[in-house]
Amino acid sequence: MHEQLILFGAPGTGKSYQIKEKLDSVSDSKIFRVTIYPEFQYSDFIGQILPITRGNATSFEFVPGPFTDALVEAYSDFSQNVYLVLEEISRGNIAAIFGDIFQLLDRDNHFESKYSIRNKNIASLIPALTCDAIKLPSNLNILCTVNVNDQNVFPMDTAFKRRFEWQYISTRPACDKQGNTDNHLNNPLISIPTNSNRSNDINISWLAFYTALNKFITDKQNGLGKNEDKQVGQFFIDFGDKLVVDSNSNKSNIARKAKIDVNNKIKNKLLLYLWQDVEENSLYGNTIKLFDKSINNYDELYMKFGKDKVFSDKFIKEFLNPGAKKYPY
């Protein structure tokens, strides 16, 4: 398997999980995983000269970073694939993090670097090299994840993007190995109030709710008309197996308590994102709203959620009710 791949999609679509599944049979010694963050630098990624004390003596030595560790491991045995996994690459200045290593990302037909760079510190750790020139061997794979909604943190330029394959991870419900949607996978039952006296709550599954929500977010005629990067994935919230089972229980007291816990998870993990990133950034002149017109601020929304009506009539009548019967996909 030769891959230089970026998995991208909305938050909660399971990008990291897919990489984990892909590498399930690979030895941990062949996987080098890094989570990128705003302060992450070239020296963190490649390595740096640091003072090393042994006994009473102190010397300055090159301490390798994860890229160099992965490269050394790949050169040690060309018959074994090595994987450098970079999570959340848009969270840092990826061009600065790669620096001159960027030159190595161009691969030939054998998946080796077309061009080399000279780096004495890295080359000194690889016995197979006879000079300071280094390349990426064909057994070194680079797998990355990025939330498209985070592109505004550190945008990636086209030169960097085109050196990777981009695999889109859909917000559609996850399927089993036979291609069937698993209705029990992170899919609790939710109660959505439609009035203050709770006389006509909508009982809906999480899968039906979030897919209806995604359709409303992107629908240009009857919804908010926003881009797909504002959608949410099935795993935006991890409800846990017990809560999923309890919310679907035939025992009313168990189901009632579970639905309260489910609503609290939505309230504390999803609600602020919907208010700040989805509702507040609606297209100019768009009068269609996700939340009820009576909601004036986040405090009101937070206090009412799960107890009173908070969603707009438009969302409830045209998207949520149909979604309770059938997924919008």
Side-chain angles (χ1 to χ4, degrees):
M1 178 172 62
H2 300 316
E3 291 187 293
Q4 201 155 274
L5 177 69
I6 293 176
L7 276 64
F8 75 103
T13 49
K15 298 177 288 297
S16 296
Y17 180 79
Q18 291 208 23
I19 289 180
K20 179 179 179 295
E21 288 286 288
K22 182 190 290 284
L23 304 183
D24 187 52
S25 60
V26 178
S27 169
D28 287 344
S29 65
K30 301 295 181 181
I31 302 172
F32 298 81
R33 188 181 299 272
V34 184
T35 299
I36 305 299
Y37 54 89
E39 289 76 27
F40 197 77
Q41 300 177 16
Y42 176 87
S43 57
D44 299 310
F45 187 48
I46 307 303
Q48 56 189 311
I49 304 293
L50 293 173
I52 303 296
T53 301
R54 294 185 179 89
N56 295 325
T58 300
S59 60
F60 287 86
E61 301 177 13
F62 177 70
V63 178
F67 169 82
T68 302
D69 286 335
L71 187 64
V72 170
E73 183 65 29
Y75 268 96
S76 70
D77 184 356
F78 294 121
S79 68
Q80 298 291 318
N81 277 314
V82 173
Y83 298 89
L84 179 61
V85 180
L86 307 178
E87 301 275 11
E88 305 287 352
I89 60 171
S90 67
R91 302 298 299 176
N93 187 343
I94 201 66
I97 290 168
F98 268 78
D100 56 347
I101 300 299
F102 171 84
Q103 183 79 2
L104 304 181
L105 295 177
D106 269 324
R107 306 275 192 134
D108 61 20
N109 291 335
H110 302 288
F111 203 60
E112 295 178 351
S113 295
K114 290 182 180 179
Y115 314 105
S116 64
I117 65 166
R118 291 191 173 274
N119 189 304
K120 183 178 180 179
N121 291 320
I122 296 177
S124 67
L125 301 177
I126 304 174
L129 297 180
T130 57
C131 66
D132 294 344
I134 62 171
K135 289 184 176 183
L136 302 185
S138 61
N139 63 326
L140 180 56
N141 303 274
I142 304 177
L143 306 178
C144 312
T145 65
V146 60
N147 282 332
V148 288
N149 196 32
D150 290 335
Q151 286 291 332
N152 59 331
V153 180
F154 282 101
M156 285 175 280
D157 60 32
T158 302
F160 184 86
K161 288 180 179 179
R162 72 180 182 82
R163 284 165 171 79
F164 287 82
E165 292 185 34
W166 286 70
Q167 179 182 334
Y168 175 66
I169 307 301
S170 174
T171 58
R172 297 176 183 234
C175 297
D176 59 24
K177 293 180 179 179
Q178 287 70 44
N180 301 312
T181 301
D182 183 354
N183 291 336
H184 300 290
L185 182 62
N186 199 48
N187 189 29
L189 198 61
I190 308 167
S191 290
I192 304 295
T194 60
N195 53 45
S196 57
N197 59 24
R198 305 292 301 274
S199 61
N200 194 30
D201 284 9
I202 296 175
N203 288 307
I204 185 172
S205 71
W206 164 248
L207 263 63
F209 173 76
Y210 97 83
T211 51
L213 176 63
N214 284 343
K215 184 171 176 58
F216 181 78
I217 289 172
T218 57
D219 192 306
K220 298 187 185 305
Q221 297 296 324
N222 300 303
L224 300 178
K226 304 176 77 66
N227 292 330
E228 290 174 88
D229 61 359
K230 297 301 181 185
Q231 293 182 321
V232 300
Q234 181 175 352
F235 307 100
F236 190 99
I237 302 171
D238 183 2
F239 293 100
D241 294 340
K242 186 177 186 304
L243 202 54
V244 171
V245 172
D246 286 353
S247 69
N248 288 279
S249 175
N250 293 325
K251 297 181 179 179
S252 60
N253 59 324
I254 294 177
R256 190 181 306 111
K257 182 182 182 304
K259 288 175 187 176
I260 293 174
D261 292 340
V262 168
N263 271 355
N264 282 335
K265 278 185 173 287
I266 295 173
K267 180 178 180 178
N268 294 325
K269 290 179 178 282
L270 177 63
L271 205 59
L272 185 61
Y273 172 75
L274 295 179
W275 179 259
Q276 289 186 338
D277 290 69
V278 177
E279 180 82 324
E280 290 301 305
N281 291 319
S282 296
L283 295 176
Y284 179 77
N286 190 352
T287 59
I288 298 175
K289 300 292 183 183
L290 173 62
F291 295 114
D292 190 80
K293 60 184 180 181
S294 66
I295 305 292
N296 296 307
N297 53 59
Y298 184 71
D299 180 73
E300 291 182 7
L301 175 63
Y302 188 83
M303 298 307 294
K304 287 184 176 182
F305 188 84
K307 302 174 182 178
D308 201 345
K309 179 189 175 190
V310 298
F311 293 109
S312 67
D313 289 334
K314 185 81 171 177
F315 175 60
I316 290 173
K317 293 177 181 179
E318 296 189 27
F319 292 85
L320 203 56
N321 272 327
K325 300 173 183 176
K326 186 179 181 180
Y327 304 146
Y329 294 122

